[in-house]
Structure formats: C-alpha cells, structure tokens
Amino acid sequence: MRSRISLLVSAFLILGIHACNLNKSCDKHTKFPVETGFYNSLSLSLRDTILQDITLYGIGREDSLLYNDIDTNRLNYRLSPFSDTTKIVLHAFSKVDTLTFYYNRHLELVSQACGFAMFFDIKEINFTKNFIDSLFLIDHLLDANKTEHLQVFVH
Amino acid sequence: MQIKQNIFRFLFINILLCVSFTSTGQADSTKRVGGLSFGIDLSRFLVSIWEPVNLNMEFQVSMEAGTNFSLIAEGGWLTSNISEETYDYELKGSYYRLGGLFNVLKREPNELSAINIGLLYGFSPYWHKADHIQIKDNYWGEGSGSLPINNLFSHWIELNAGIRVEIFKNWLIGWKIRTKIRLSRNEDPIMTPYLTPGFGKGDKNFSLGMSYYLVYRIPYKKRK
C-alpha cells in the first residue's frame, strides 16, 4: 500500500510541476503578414525574380509607403484588420499592379499576455496584369510559421 | 455397535459443520461488495496557476455496476474573467461527462485500488463576451470595440486512464490522464472562445488533461 501511495504522490508532483507554466510573457504570434515571393513566369523551374525599384503601399494609406524603391524578390505586408478587403498597390518595371484580397476575419484571445489577435482566411485574390502574370496562394490562413504564403509570377 | 454408530454420527455432523463453515467463509471473502462513490477533482483548484481561470469546481459520482465496471457522471463549472489594458474578457459555463470505467488491475475481492480505463461523452454549454478590445496595427491604424454575449456549446468524447488507491477505509485518492476529441461545436464566427469548460483550449479539437481526485465510497453492504 505504501509503495502505491508513493507512486501516486510522485506522479502527482512530477506531472503537476510539468503542467505549471508560470511564464506569462507573450510568446505567440499576434500579427500575420502576407509573405510574398516573386517568380519568373517564363522560367520552366520555380526561379525567383529580383524586382527592381519596387514600391508598395495599401489603398487608403497612399501617404505611407511600406516599401520604397527597393530591389527584392520577397516582400511582406499586412492585411487591414478593420475591413474584409485590402488593396495592395505594387510599382515595378515602371508599371503598376494592384492585388485585391477578399477575406474573412475573426478575433482570437491568443493568451492573457498576448491579448487579442485578428486571424485571416483569404477567400479570393484579384489582380491587374500589367507586369503580374499569375498568382498562387499557398496558405490562405497565413500561418505565421510558414515562410511563404503567396507566389506572384511576373513577366 | 450403538457406540460405533454414535461416533460415526458425531464425526459426520462435525465434518458437515466444518465444510459448511468453511464454504460460508469462502463465499463471503470472494464476493465483492459494490458501492457508490462521491468525489471532487482537487486539481481544478490549481488550474488558475497556468490558465486565467477564476473558479473551476468539478465533482463526480460513480456507481459500481460489476466486478470491474463502474458507471460515472462528472460535472463542473468554470468562470474566467480577464481584465487587461487592451481588453476585458469573460467566459462562464458548466460541463458534464457521462460514461464508464473499466478496471484492469487484478485485485482481491474487496480491494478498492484500481487501474481504470474510461470512456466518456462530454458536453458543455457556456458563453463568452469581450469589451474594450483594442486592435493596433502599425500601418492600418487602431480600432476598438466590444463583442456581446454569445451562447456556445461543445460536445466531445474522452478516453482516460489512471490509478486510484485507498488511503483510509472507503477514502480513495487517484489521478487520471484525459485525452479529449471534440465531436462538434457551434462556432462563434467573430471571436474564438479562449476555453471550453471541461475540455481545454477553445481553438483546439484535441486536448490533453489531468485530474487528481479525492473520493469517498459508500459500500452497498458493510465490508468485512
């Protein structure tokens, strides 16, 4: 009987201590940017393309550029948490294209320390075709652990 | 001759009595006396250490329905109030579980210690609401708002395993590990509940839990 009680108490303490998580700082993602990679539509294999002098901003925030005249093949930007539609304008190759994201939003209390975060579920993306050829949406939920959510093929 | 007959009669009656007493004693010690048990989950008082829970109480009633089988009903309630700089959140609800426990430990007829495997159905009606939510985005700006009370429910199935031991006569203590799989729920399309009472995290469909409980057992008959 004593050995059984010892076993029970030991398990109680070990598992009880293991279950305690006293770290109250926010260690989870609360922002979910769209990680976007640019690729050459003419390449047979998936080859990324450096866009030169790219400028990016959101419609409604024309006064604030997210990227201004940079050379890159990878960008990230956030969808508006206050609307079900976000329009992103891209300037590249002296041309302008617009990505229009349609999505559902929901709030989630991530943790007591992190507070609420807005989660997105992209339903559709429309785009103009001045230098963009096509799109491929990899992750419509914008999982923060993924390095790429959207592939943009340019010509 | 008469004396011999009396001696044989005396021995025969004695043997009969011996066999009779012996067999009666064996029957009593091999019969298991069933019982009704009432318990409280002590681990619920510790939940607030790792979750923002203000109150969580849980009780259980079990009835032995066979040598190694018991029917069990568990019920509890949970309240969570979180007040932070950027939000206030409140969640309240009760939960219920019904099912059976099967003991796999070979034991003496009146030994109460057990290694149990259980299968239960769980159900929770609850509600949540949030006030003064502030969402800040460095690019798109700031917004605030409140979400009114939304009534929710959730169903799940639970498989558990654990041990219990008798520490005093008819008093038992034990623990069990619970694995829970959500069967269905009504969704809140705007705000995901932080917790589901009796289940675990509100955004998960699988949950692991643990209980440490104290039980008092009332036997159907007096135990020897």
Side-chain angles (χ1 to χ4, degrees), chain B residues 64-75:
Chain B
E64 287 173 38
T67 308
N68 285 311
F69 181 72
S70 301
L71 294 169
I72 186 163
E74 299 173 335

Side-chain angles (χ1 to χ4, degrees), chain A residues 1 4-5 7-8 11-12 15-16 19-22 24 31 57-59 61 64 66 78-82 86 88 105-112 115-116, chain B residues 48-50 52 82 84 87 89 105 111 113 130 133 135-143 147 163 165-167 173-175 189-192 194 203 210 212:
Chain A
M1 177 60 80
R4 284 187 174 185
I5 293 173
L7 177 73
L8 185 78
F12 184 105
L15 292 163
C20 294
N21 179 12
L22 299 172
K24 297 286 186 185
K31 305 289 183 197
Y57 60 87
I59 298 268
R61 290 303 317 272
S64 177
L66 280 166
R78 289 200 291 270
L79 303 177
S80 169
F82 310 115
T86 295
I88 299 291
R105 297 169 290 150
H106 76 274
L107 277 169
E108 199 166 302
L109 184 55
V110 176
S111 71
Q112 183 171 4
F116 279 91
Chain B
S48 59
I49 294 171
W50 60 87
I82 311 170
E84 294 285 336
Y87 67 93
Y89 182 76
L105 179 71
E111 188 183 355
S113 299
I133 305 168
I135 298 288
K136 290 180 183 174
D137 186 283
N138 292 340
Y139 188 68
W140 296 105
E142 291 183 26
L147 295 167
I163 63 170
V165 291
E166 187 176 23
I167 46 171
I173 193 164
W175 57 262
I190 302 169
M191 178 172 66
T192 305
Y194 186 61
D203 61 332
M210 185 124 193
Y212 308 105

Side-chain angles (χ1 to χ4, degrees), chain B residues 74-94:
Chain B
E74 299 173 335
W77 64 91
L78 179 147
T79 65
S80 175
N81 286 291
I82 311 170
S83 192
E84 294 285 336
E85 196 178 323
T86 56
Y87 67 93
D88 292 318
Y89 182 76
E90 192 174 357
L91 181 144
K92 281 186 183 174
S94 55

Side-chain angles (χ1 to χ4, degrees), chain A residues 63-143:
Chain A
D63 56 329
S64 177
L65 303 178
L66 280 166
Y67 294 93
N68 189 13
D69 286 339
I70 62 157
D71 299 344
T72 186
N73 60 350
R74 194 158 292 275
L75 298 170
N76 70 65
Y77 43 89
R78 289 200 291 270
L79 303 177
S80 169
F82 310 115
S83 162
D84 289 334
T85 305
T86 295
K87 290 187 175 185
I88 299 291
V89 178
L90 293 120
H91 287 259
F93 309 117
S94 304
K95 294 175 182 172
V96 180
D97 266 325
T98 305
L99 300 172
T100 307
F101 294 83
Y102 300 96
Y103 49 88
N104 292 336
R105 297 169 290 150
H106 76 274
L107 277 169
E108 199 166 302
L109 184 55
V110 176
S111 71
Q112 183 171 4
C114 296
F116 279 91
M118 190 67 80
F119 286 74
F120 302 95
D121 182 359
I122 297 171
K123 294 298 174 190
E124 189 181 347
I125 307 172
N126 289 343
F127 60 100
T128 56
K129 294 188 173 180
N130 294 313
F131 68 90
I132 295 175
D133 178 72
S134 58
L135 304 178
F136 179 61
L137 182 62
I138 297 169
D139 179 21
H140 62 103
L141 296 174
L142 304 180
D143 183 345

